[in-house]
């Protein structure tokens, strides 16, 4: 594998590239990295590589001739793609490493200054960003790519951690690892890891990888999908709890049946006066027995009938009456509660949340507990859930449907 890096800072690379497994691969000749400096392709006294932008505006722009002359010199060394590194590029992914490592040549174009003349961009084969953050130059991105590509070349890794075992290769994050001591600061190694029971161990690791991916990167699970047995693992492990809050007057058997079906541990009923509370209690006392279609246990055989709905009696049990919106809890089960408003017509200054992304971005473990809130004043919520598509403005959905749709949307599985 030959990698050419077009850079104004050739001195950036030798240190890192002499290190670790990449250093070994280069020393063994399994890969070679060469830098090409656009400054060597300038012809003026000052070796100018940048200039002021047409139309004004701050910063300097990289001139096309020196960079493209350096790229041409690199292209003479092999048939690989010229990859422009820039914050505007397509997000880098493991697949890119796999694709580039399967070839024999790669050209990385690293820039400095505020940006590239647009005609550089259109003359490269790909444009890549390594993430949504701002660096001082493309050299850091080049090192990242060199590492990811060389790592995949035959001979770089031992057999033990082969690329097929990479967490991204099967679309899941890795399960937790432990080593000695068996108890650290009172925190023990899970029993299943000490048991030597191979099948239980494999199942535990698979379940942990699934749970961790659902909690931290629901986007990965969404893209990858689940096998039926994986879906069953996640279902039995339980979704992170979700709560519901709304004016007491909106709570009826439908809402409670939906809450039961989603395993919602609490439905908060905001009842401002004694009348409101009495009316709610009357409604809860009269819940029909057959309102909850929840079946206990999995459907096992085609012709076996589902067990009777036994949850119906408990439908009212999850209701918590609140005096006012200010009493909505800020913590549940030791976790922070995030209140997301479900409104047909959010205020014009509403800030919408992407539930999956918001939970992943919160990054806390355990994750925050989302609460679907209907009818609260704007200053009591942390954001608005995207309006349900298809519910045209004049067409009111039953409140139970609204609750069901949003509970479904904010499940970790996506
Ligand atoms: C004022 C607008 N800035 C864009 C956000 C200009 C700008 C910032 C940083 C122009 C170039 C750079 C240098 N960054 C890279 O060359 C770069 C990069 C990055 O900053 N983040 C993620 N991936 C990459 S790949 C190359």
């Amino acid at each position: 594998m030959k990698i050419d890096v077009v850079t104004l800072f050739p001195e950036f690379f030798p240190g890192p590239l002499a290190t670790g497994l990449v250093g070994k691969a280069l020393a063994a000749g399994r890969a070679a990295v060469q830098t090409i400096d656009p400054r060597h392709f300038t012809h003026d006294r000052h070796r100018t590589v940048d200039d002021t932008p047409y139309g004004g505006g701050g910063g300097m722009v990289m001139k096309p001739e020196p960079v493209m002359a350096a790229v041409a010199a690199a292209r003479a060394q092999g048939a690989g793609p010229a990859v422009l590194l820039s914050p505007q590029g397509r997000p880098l992914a493991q697949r890119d490493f796999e694709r580039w490592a399967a070839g024999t040549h790669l050209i990385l174009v690293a820039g400095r200054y505020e940006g590239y003349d647009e005609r550089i961009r259109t003359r490269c084969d790909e444009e890549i960003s390594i993430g949504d953050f701002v660096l001082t130059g493309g050299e850091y991105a080049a090192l990242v790519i060199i590492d990811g590509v060389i790592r995949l070349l035959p001979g770089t890794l031992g057999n033990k951690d082969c690329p097929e075992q990479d967490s991204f290769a099967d679309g899941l994050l890795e399960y937790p690892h432990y080593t000695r001591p068996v108890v650290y600061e009172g925190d023990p190694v899970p029993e299943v890891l000490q048991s030597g029971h191979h099948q239980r161990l494999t199942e535990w690791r698979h379940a942990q990888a699934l749970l961790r991916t659902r909690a931290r990167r629901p986007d990965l699970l969404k893209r990858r999908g689940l096998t039926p047995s994986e879906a069953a693992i996640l279902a039995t492990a339980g979704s992170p709890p979700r709560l519901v809050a709304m004016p007491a007057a909106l709570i009826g058997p439908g809402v409670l049946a939906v809450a039961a079906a989603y395993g919602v541990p609490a439905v908060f009923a905001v009842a401002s006066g004694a009348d409101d509370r009495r009316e709610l209690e009357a409604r809860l006392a009269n819940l029909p027995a057959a309102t909850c279609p929840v079946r206990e246990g999995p459907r096992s055989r085609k012709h076996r009938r589902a067990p009777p709905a036994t949850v119906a009696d408990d439908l009212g049990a999850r209701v918590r009456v609140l005096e006012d919106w200010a009493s909505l809890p800020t913590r549940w089960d030791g976790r922070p509660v995030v209140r997301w408003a479900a409104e047909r017509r959010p205020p014009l200054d509403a800030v919408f949340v992407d539930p999956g992304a918001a939970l992943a971005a919160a990054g806390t473990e355990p994750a925050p507990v989302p609460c679907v809130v209907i009818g609260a004043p704007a200053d009591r919520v942390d954001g608005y859930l995207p309006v349900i598509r298809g519910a045209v403005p004049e067409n009111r959905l039953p409140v139970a449907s609204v609750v069901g749709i949003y509970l479904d949307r904010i499940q970790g599985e996506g």
Side-chain angles (χ1 to χ4, degrees):
M1 182 88 201
K2 172 80 195 304
I3 303 178
D4 287 298
V5 186
V6 173
T7 174
L8 294 169
F9 295 104
E11 68 276 16
F12 187 88
F13 293 90
L17 292 183
T19 310
L21 294 176
V22 167
K24 257 172 109 180
L26 293 172
R30 288 193 295 273
V33 176
Q34 193 196 338
T35 54
I36 306 179
D37 187 346
R39 235 177 256 285
H40 295 156
F41 299 86
T42 56
H43 306 289
D44 63 316
R45 259 170 44 83
H46 300 291
R47 301 198 161 268
T48 312
V49 292
D50 62 330
D51 204 342
T52 53
Y54 272 106
M60 298 294 274
V61 173
M62 285 184 84
K63 292 166 64 60
E65 308 95 318
V67 172
M68 290 319 297
V71 170
R75 281 181 166 147
Q77 313 259 321
V83 178
L84 186 68
L85 304 169
S86 103
Q88 284 99 58
R90 180 170 57 74
L92 181 65
Q94 185 64 24
R95 288 232 180 273
D96 297 310
F97 291 160
E98 290 164 9
R99 183 165 52 83
W100 294 326
T104 55
H105 186 223
L106 178 64
I107 304 167
L108 300 173
V109 184
R112 290 273 156 168
Y113 309 107
E114 273 306 291
Y116 304 99
D117 181 289
E118 194 62 19
R119 290 157 299 182
I120 297 174
R121 185 162 273 128
T122 53
R123 281 162 180 74
C124 287
D125 302 299
E126 304 181 39
E127 186 171 350
I128 293 286
S129 158
I130 63 165
D132 294 339
F133 37 77
V134 183
L135 305 171
T136 56
E139 285 76 13
Y140 300 91
L143 272 186
V144 165
I145 291 174
I146 292 168
D147 185 86
V149 169
I150 290 184
R151 182 178 169 277
L152 293 180
L153 298 178
T156 302
L157 297 180
N159 283 342
K160 277 210 186 138
D161 43 10
C162 57
E164 287 74 41
Q165 285 199 359
D166 288 354
S167 85
F168 285 107
D170 73 346
L172 296 179
L173 300 183
E174 275 189 27
Y175 50 78
H177 300 273
Y178 291 86
T179 184
R180 272 172 284 273
V182 68
V183 179
Y184 175 69
E185 292 186 347
D187 202 351
V189 173
E191 185 273 326
V192 59
L193 295 180
Q194 307 170 49
S195 71
H197 193 305
H198 184 73
Q199 194 187 337
R200 273 182 61 212
L201 172 78
T202 326
E203 286 169 5
W204 181 84
R205 285 184 167 165
H206 186 206
Q208 289 295 313
L210 283 166
L211 287 166
R212 182 166 273 199
T213 310
R214 179 174 69 178
R216 299 186 186 189
R217 294 293 305 277
D219 58 310
L220 290 181
L221 269 198
K222 208 168 190 169
R223 189 183 317 181
R224 171 184 178 277
L226 294 170
T227 68
S229 76
E230 289 175 339
I233 291 171
L234 286 179
T236 41
S239 299
R242 281 149 292 152
L243 307 170
V244 172
M246 64 181 77
L250 292 182
I251 295 180
V255 167
L256 295 176
V258 168
Y262 281 91
V264 171
V267 175
F268 296 100
V270 180
S272 34
D275 283 358
D276 263 10
R277 264 194 304 281
R278 254 196 309 280
E279 207 213 301
L280 174 68
E281 264 146 39
R283 244 177 298 134
L284 295 185
N286 283 321
L287 285 178
T291 46
C292 183
V294 176
R295 251 184 285 102
E296 294 288 333
R299 192 202 313 234
S300 50
R301 293 243 182 84
K302 240 197 236 165
H303 299 297
R304 190 169 294 178
R305 269 217 294 157
T310 54
V311 201
D313 295 340
D314 295 317
L315 283 187
R318 68 194 74 239
V319 176
R320 307 263 193 292
V321 183
L322 301 180
E323 294 282 325
D324 49 29
W325 287 108
S327 324
L328 254 191
T330 55
R331 303 193 69 80
W332 181 263
D333 215 2
R335 307 171 178 218
V337 172
V338 284
R339 300 136 172 214
W340 289 336
E343 299 290 345
R344 202 162 47 108
R345 297 189 182 190
L348 289 177
D349 60 351
V351 176
F352 289 99
V353 292
D354 172 345
L359 290 179
T364 58
E365 211 167 344
V369 174
C371 180
V372 175
V373 179
I374 297 178
D379 61 338
R380 295 286 169 204
V381 298
D382 302 310
Y384 284 78
L385 290 161
V387 174
I388 298 170
R389 291 178 298 279
V392 295
E394 307 319 319
N395 203 352
R396 277 177 185 276
L397 287 173
V399 69
S401 302
V402 173
V403 171
I405 288 167
Y406 282 118
L407 285 174
D408 204 80
R409 284 188 182 175
I410 66 179
Q411 293 200 91
E413 306 95 291

